[in-house]
């Protein structure tokens, strides 16, 4: 399906409303977008997706944590988590 939406990192199937809002399939919570694009279902996936992408950049080496701009967005995306 064209409008199938999956978590950028774990590829879990997510819900999308007609208004384009992405929701968690179990909790119905509105899900944020990853810094590099695409919805993510949890803070863990948000962080992991950033690290995976940054590690894949030419010459970057293995990233252990997201870059500072990506981390700022992660903090905004999940204000209730730590
Ligand atoms: Zn996920």
């Amino acid at each position: 399906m064209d409008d199938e939406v999956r978590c950028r990192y774990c590829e879990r199937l997510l819900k999308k409303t007609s208004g384009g809002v992405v929701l968690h399939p179990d909790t119905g919570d509105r899900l944020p977008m990853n810094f590099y694009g695409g919805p993510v279902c949890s803070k863990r996936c948000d962080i992991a997706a950033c690290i995976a992408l940054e590690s894949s950049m030419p010459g970057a080496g293995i990233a252990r944590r997201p870059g500072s701009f990506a981390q700022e967005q992660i903090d905004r995306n999940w204000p209730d988590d730590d």
Side-chain angles (χ1 to χ4, degrees), residues 7-12 14 39-42 44-46:
C7 171
R8 180 188 171 108
Y9 187 71
C10 72
E11 302 191 334
R12 176 183 190 138
L14 308 172
V40 278
C41 75
S42 67
R44 244 179 104 232
C45 285
D46 205 358

Side-chain angles (χ1 to χ4, degrees), residues 4-76:
E4 196 171 79
V5 181
R6 289 178 182 274
C7 171
R8 180 188 171 108
Y9 187 71
C10 72
E11 302 191 334
R12 176 183 190 138
L13 190 59
L14 308 172
K15 280 196 210 167
K16 190 175 186 182
T17 70
S18 53
V21 176
V22 180
L23 305 175
H24 193 286
D26 297 334
T27 65
D29 288 344
R30 188 176 177 148
L31 294 174
M33 301 299 280
N34 181 259
F35 183 68
Y36 296 106
V40 278
C41 75
S42 67
K43 187 174 186 180
R44 244 179 104 232
C45 285
D46 205 358
I47 293 169
C50 287
I51 291 174
L53 190 138
E54 289 172 12
S55 297
S56 74
M57 288 174 178
I62 305 296
R64 298 199 185 279
R65 45 188 305 128
S68 56
F69 293 113
Q71 183 63 53
E72 278 177 27
Q73 175 152 338
I74 291 166
D75 291 341
R76 279 197 301 274

